[in-house]
Amino acid sequence: MSTTSARSLRIGEVAELTGTTPRTIRYYEEIGLLPATDAREQGKHRVYSEAEVERIREIVKLRDLLGLSLEQLSKLLDAETARAELRREYRQTDEPGERARILGQSLEHIGTQLQLVCERRAELDKLERELRERQDHVRRVLAEIDS
Amino acid sequence: MSTTSARSLRIGEVAELTGTTPRTIRYYEEIGLLPATDAREQGKHRVYSEAEVERIREIVKLRDLLGLSLEQLSKLLDAETARAELRREYRQTDEPGERARILGQSLEHIGTQLQLVCERRAELDKLERELRERQDHVRRVLAEIDS
DNA sequence: TTGCTCCTCACGTCACGTGAGGTGGC
DNA sequence: TTGCTCCTCACGTCACGTGAGGTGGC
C-alpha cells in the first residue's frame, strides 16, 4: 500500500482498472449506483479518485458472484455506504457505548453479505459434488474395461 | 427413484418444477437451447417428459451459478448433448477400445464444466475471506472497547 | 495545433416480462 | 359446456453495447 497521492483518474482508466467499460460506469451513475462525480459542468470530463475505483471493484465483484439485480445490489451497497457514514460518525465520538453500537451495525452489514456469499457457495459446492460423482462413475467404468 | 411411468407434462408444470416461467422455456426453445417439442401442430400445447425437466434443471443451474451468456451455455451444453449421443453409441458397441474412447470424451466434457465451477468457487472463496477479515477486524475493535 | 479521450444523444441487443386476443384439452 | 391453461404476436424492460457527431484537455 504505497501512499498514492490522491491521483485523479479519467473514466477510461477507471474502466480498465475495474474490468468494466466507460459505458457501464456512466450507466451506474445514471441509475444512482454510483454518485455523480462532483460538480461537473455539462460536457466536461468525469474525474475519479482511488476510493471510487475501490467502490466500483466491489460492485463488480458482488454483481458477478452473487446473482443480484442492480437494484438489489444497490440496496446491499446502501448498507455499505451506511457503514462508511458510520465510520465517520465513529471517529467523531469518544463515547464507548456509541462506538460499540456503530461497530455492531457494521457487523450486521458484513453478516448480510456473508450470508449471500455462503448461500451461493453451497449451491456451487453441490454442483461440484454432482459433477465429481459423474466423473468418478465414468472413471470406474473405464477401469473395469481396462481390467 | 420410483419408476415414474413417462408422464407427459405441460409447460406450466415444467416451469414450476424447474423454477422458471413458461416464457423462459419458450425462449430457450426459440434460440435452440432446448429442442422444439416433437412434431407439434401450430397452436397446440407443448408436451414435455421428465428427461426434459432434467435438462432444464441443468441449464438453470449452470446459468445461475456460472456467469455465462446463453450462447456460451449453449456451447457447453452441446458437449452434454454430445455425451448423451455418445452414451447411445456406447450401448451399441461391444468393442472395448471404442467404449474406452467414448468414456474418455465423457470425462473431458465433465472436466470442462468442473473447471468453470472451480474458477467460480475460487472467486467466491476469495470474497468470503475478505468479508471474514473485515468481520474479524471489527470484532477485535469491539473486544478492545469492552475491555 | 494535433490527436486522443472524453462528452451526450439515441438506437440496438440479450434475456426475458407482460399484456392482448384467441384456442386447446381435461 | 365451463374454466383453466395454453397458444402466438408484439411491445416493454434491464443492463448494458455501439455508433454518430461533437468538444475537452494534455
Side-chain angles (χ1 to χ4, degrees), chain B residues 30-108:
Chain B
E30 211 179 303
I31 63 169
L33 194 51
L34 293 173
T37 56
D38 41 21
R40 189 173 51 98
E41 289 154 57
Q42 164 80 357
K44 286 207 164 179
H45 292 189
R46 288 169 180 82
V47 166
Y48 299 88
S49 69
E50 282 292 337
E52 279 154 303
V53 172
E54 266 320 299
R55 165 89 172 185
I56 296 172
R57 281 211 183 100
E58 202 160 342
I59 288 177
V60 167
K61 199 177 283 188
L62 293 174
R63 178 197 69 181
D64 287 346
L65 294 180
L66 315 178
L68 307 176
S69 71
L70 292 187
E71 195 183 337
Q72 294 172 305
L73 195 53
S74 189
K75 281 177 193 162
L76 198 68
L77 289 170
D78 283 350
E80 274 288 316
T81 312
R83 258 169 32 90
E85 180 58 33
L86 283 173
R87 271 196 297 273
R88 264 214 308 290
E89 287 181 32
Y90 180 84
R91 279 189 214 97
Q92 284 168 4
T93 182
D94 282 346
E95 214 246 297
E98 184 64 7
R99 293 201 137 194
R101 194 187 60 79
I102 289 169
L103 291 173
Q105 300 229 347
S106 238
L107 275 183
E108 217 178 291

Side-chain angles (χ1 to χ4, degrees), chain B residues 102-121:
Chain B
I102 289 169
L103 291 173
Q105 300 229 347
S106 238
L107 275 183
E108 217 178 291
H109 293 145
I110 298 173
T112 305
Q113 275 171 256
L114 263 174
Q115 185 166 344
L116 288 171
V117 170
C118 288
E119 282 167 14
R120 278 261 133 173
R121 244 186 63 110

